[in-house]
Amino acid sequence: MSAETGIPAPGNAPHPEPLRFFGTSWVDHDDRYTARRVAVTAGSLVAAAASCLVLRLAYQGLQIAAIGGFVTLLTTAMFAICSAMAFRHTWEGFTRRQDPDRQASLRGLLAIGFVGSLLAYFLRSLTEAPGEKLHRAEYEEARRRHEKRSTRRSGNPSKQRRHT
């Protein structure tokens, strides 16, 4: 048994990949998995609400600065579009692996659209640990391949009859 996961790990069997905030508790839904999901759900919602408050204060700052309606409109549109794109990118990241180069190139967009990422995290955590479905599919496939490899040979090969 593996000390960190509590899962039997004979030989070089695959190990589950830990998820942020959940570790490997997502495998068997143990080690306070439900409490962690509730905390992640509430935390991401509170963070999204606080982020919206910060954006509201920034918008009020633009109004006080009287920089003009066009700049205010552009800024509002930028945050809305970046949030929508960040939501979509984060949501897709829960179902398939992202390309690391694309992820690096979108880092700025994801930083600007942080509200969208937080909302995607909140919505996904209502049903599962964010990324659990993807990790579970990969882990089960790795375990299936390992089982297939490890059970390929059966019996003692020295006792097999030789064909002449």
Side-chain angles (χ1 to χ4, degrees):
M1 248 196 207
S2 173
E4 62 189 36
T5 62
I7 298 170
N12 58 352
H15 298 287
E17 187 176 338
L19 290 175
R20 180 181 295 157
F21 305 120
F22 294 90
T24 56
S25 66
W26 60 269
V27 176
D28 294 322
H29 292 186
D30 58 352
D31 194 26
R32 299 185 320 268
Y33 171 82
T34 305
R36 290 175 191 227
R37 266 209 25 227
V38 168
V40 165
T41 302
S44 59
L45 184 61
V46 167
S51 300
C52 288
L53 178 64
V54 169
L55 288 177
R56 172 78 176 144
L57 294 174
Y59 179 77
Q60 286 177 342
L62 291 175
Q63 285 182 329
I64 292 170
I67 58 173
F70 182 69
V71 174
T72 303
L73 178 68
L74 282 178
T75 305
T76 305
M78 175 199 60
F79 275 107
I81 291 169
C82 288
S83 290
M85 292 175 71
F87 178 91
R88 180 172 174 245
H89 180 76
T90 303
W91 191 263
E92 287 176 352
F94 297 141
T95 56
R96 63 182 167 92
R97 292 282 177 177
Q98 299 292 332
D99 177 31
D101 294 333
R102 184 171 184 258
Q103 186 81 7
S105 68
L106 291 176
R107 189 167 286 136
L109 179 131
L110 295 174
I112 293 170
F114 60 96
V115 174
S117 292
L118 289 169
L119 290 175
Y121 212 79
F122 165 72
L123 290 175
R124 180 58 81 162
S125 64
L126 290 173
T127 58
E128 67 175 8
E132 178 181 347
K133 186 176 185 180
L134 171 67
H135 284 76
R136 186 172 302 283
E138 290 174 350
Y139 177 59
E140 287 176 359
E141 176 64 22
R143 286 183 61 183
R144 187 190 61 74
R145 282 192 314 250
H146 176 74
E147 285 291 321
K148 188 176 180 180
R149 275 194 320 266
S150 62
T151 59
R152 189 173 294 162
R153 291 183 9 186
S154 62
N156 187 348
S158 66
K159 292 185 177 185
Q160 291 181 353
R161 288 192 302 157
R162 299 195 186 244
H163 299 285
T164 56

